[in-house]
C-alpha cells in the first residue's frame, strides 16, 4: 500500500470521541502529510524532467509509469484535501487532547526543573567526592537523565502530532552537556592520579626526572585546553 493510500484509508475511518488510539492514528497521518508536503510538491518537476531526458535519448518509458506520474500530483492534492477535512472533523477532539497534553507538559516541566535542581546539588561537581564515588554517580545520573530525556521526546512527539509549539527543554540539554563535561573532568583527575601514583611507586634508581617533567607538562597543557566551563567547578580546581 502506498503512502497516499495509507493516509487516505486511515483518515477515512470514523473516530469516536472516546477512541484515543484512533485519534492518535489520524493525527499521525495528518502530521505525516504536513511533514512531506513541501518535499512531495517539489518532486514532480524533477521527475518530469527525468522522463523527458530519457525520451530525448530514446529510452523507452513504460506508458503506465508515465500515466502514474501524470496523475500523481492530482492524487497528492486529494490526499492533502482529505487531511484538511479530517482536521476540521476532528477539531474538537484535537483541541481537547491538545489541552490535556499542555497540562501534562507543564507538569513535566515542573518535574524537570526539580530534576535539574537535584542534578546541580548532587552530581559530582566537587573534588572531595572522590574518584570511585564520582564515576558511580556519573553512571547513575546518566541513567536518570536518560529516562527524563525519553519522557521529553515523548512529549515533543505529542506536541508535534497535535500541532502545538514543540518545547526544546533546554535545561535537559544543559544537564546532558554538563554531565559529559563532568565525565571529561573526572577522566583527567583519574589520569593525573594514575600518573603520580606511578611516580610514587618508582624506585629511586629508576627515576627519570626529565621524562617525568615532560609528561607533567604535557598533561598540564592538555588540562589547560579543556572547556572553560570546567574552570568554575571544584573538581577542576
Amino acid at each position: 500500500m502506498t503512502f497516499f493510500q495509507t493516509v487516505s484509508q486511515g483518515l477515512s475511518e470514523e473516530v469516536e470521541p472516546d477512541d484515543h488510539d484512533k485519534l492518535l492514528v489520524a493525527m499521525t497521518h495528518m502530521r505525516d502529510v504536513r511533514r512531506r508536503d513541501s518535499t512531495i510538491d517539489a518532486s514532480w518537476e524533477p521527475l518530469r524532467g527525468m522522463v523527458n531526458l530519457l525520451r530525448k535519448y530514446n529510452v523507452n518509458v513504460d506508458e503506465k509509469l508515465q500515466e502514474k506520474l501524470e496523475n500523481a500530483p492530482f492524487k497528492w492534492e486529494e490526499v492533502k484535501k482529505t487531511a484538511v477535512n479530517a482536521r476540521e472533523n476532528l477539531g474538537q477532539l484535537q483541541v481537547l487532547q491538545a489541552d490535556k497534553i499542555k497540562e501534562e507538559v507543564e507538569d513535566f516541566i515542573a518535574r524537570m526543573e526539580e530534576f535539574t535542581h537535584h542534578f546541580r546539588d548532587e552530581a559530582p561537581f566537587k573534588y572531595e567526592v572522590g574518584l570511585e564515588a564520582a564515576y558511580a554517580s556519573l553512571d547513575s545520573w546518566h541513567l536518570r537523565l536518560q529516562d527524563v530525556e525519553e519522557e521529553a521526546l515523548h512529549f515533543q512527539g505529542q506536541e508535534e502530532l497535535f500541532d502545538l509549539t514543540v518545547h526544546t527543554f533546554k535545561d535537559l540539554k544543559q544537564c546532558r552537556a554538563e554531565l559529559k563535561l563532568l565525565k571529561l573532568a573526572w577522566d583527567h583527575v583519574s589520569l593525573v592520579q594514575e600518573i603520580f601514583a606511578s611516580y610514587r611507586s618508582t624506585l629511586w634508581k629508576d627515576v627519570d626526572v626529565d621524562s617525568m617533567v615532560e609528561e607533567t607538562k604535557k598533561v598540564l597543557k592538555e588540562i589547560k585546553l579543556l572547556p572553560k566551563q570546567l574552570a568554575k567547578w571544584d573538581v577542576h580546581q
Side-chain angles (χ1 to χ4, degrees):
M1 187 179 292
T2 66
F3 172 66
F4 291 3
Q5 292 171 332
T6 300
V7 171
S8 296
Q9 182 175 317
L11 293 179
S12 65
E13 296 184 12
E14 186 175 352
V15 179
E16 298 295 333
D18 59 345
D19 197 334
H20 180 69
D21 291 340
K22 276 195 174 181
L23 176 61
L24 288 181
V25 169
M27 296 304 300
T28 300
H29 288 314
M30 287 188 279
R31 179 205 62 193
D32 291 345
V33 170
R34 289 198 306 272
R35 280 181 174 179
R36 300 195 186 192
D37 189 5
S38 58
T39 302
I40 292 179
D41 281 344
S43 69
W44 305 130
E45 198 58 37
L47 287 172
R48 292 190 190 100
M50 189 182 300
V51 170
N52 291 334
L53 183 64
L54 291 171
R55 286 173 177 168
K56 179 179 178 181
Y57 288 96
N58 298 318
V59 176
N60 183 47
V61 180
D62 186 77
E63 290 184 4
K64 289 184 178 180
L65 180 61
Q66 293 182 58
E67 184 179 349
K68 285 183 179 180
L69 179 58
E70 291 301 320
N71 292 331
F74 302 106
K75 289 185 177 181
W76 175 231
E77 290 302 318
E78 290 177 3
V79 171
K80 290 196 287 185
K81 288 179 182 178
T82 300
V84 170
N85 292 335
R87 182 185 180 87
E88 293 175 355
N89 294 334
L90 298 172
Q92 188 59 37
L93 294 179
Q94 181 181 351
V95 169
L96 291 173
Q97 184 62 26
D99 287 342
K100 182 180 177 182
I101 291 169
K102 289 178 183 177
E103 291 178 3
E104 291 176 348
V105 170
E106 287 179 5
D107 176 68
F108 173 71
I109 290 174
R111 289 188 287 111
M112 183 184 66
E113 289 174 352
E114 185 177 356
F115 175 90
T116 302
H117 177 73
H118 286 307
F119 173 77
R120 298 271 161 73
D121 282 348
E122 300 171 15
F125 288 95
K126 295 183 179 181
Y127 180 78
E128 65 186 31
V129 171
L131 192 61
E132 185 176 348
Y135 276 126
S137 177
L138 289 172
D139 288 341
S140 174
W141 277 107
H142 165 69
L143 295 175
R144 291 168 68 180
L145 182 55
Q146 196 172 54
D147 289 340
V148 181
E149 286 170 334
E150 288 176 1
E151 196 172 358
L153 283 174
H154 165 74
F155 283 121
Q156 287 174 326
Q158 291 289 297
E159 287 175 326
E160 183 190 9
L161 204 59
F162 285 85
D163 207 14
L164 298 171
T165 300
V166 179
H167 284 77
T168 57
F169 302 121
K170 291 181 180 179
D171 285 350
L172 281 186
K173 292 182 179 179
Q174 185 63 30
C175 285
R176 175 57 71 186
E178 290 179 5
L179 191 63
K180 289 180 179 178
L181 289 176
L182 277 174
K183 173 65 165 56
L184 185 63
W186 281 104
D187 283 346
H188 280 81
V189 169
S190 175
L191 175 64
V192 171
Q193 288 185 0
E194 287 177 5
I195 289 173
F196 282 92
S198 69
Y199 291 169
R200 286 192 294 270
S201 65
T202 303
L203 298 176
W204 276 109
K205 66 183 181 66
D206 296 325
V207 170
D208 185 342
V209 176
D210 290 339
S211 175
M212 289 179 175
V213 170
E214 188 63 30
E215 186 174 24
T216 302
K217 286 181 179 180
K218 182 180 178 182
V219 172
L220 183 61
K221 182 179 179 181
E222 185 176 330
I223 290 174
K224 287 182 177 180
L225 292 175
L226 291 173
K228 293 180 180 179
Q229 186 176 349
L230 292 176
K232 64 181 182 181
W233 295 344
D234 180 77
V235 63
H236 181 70
Q237 298 170 3

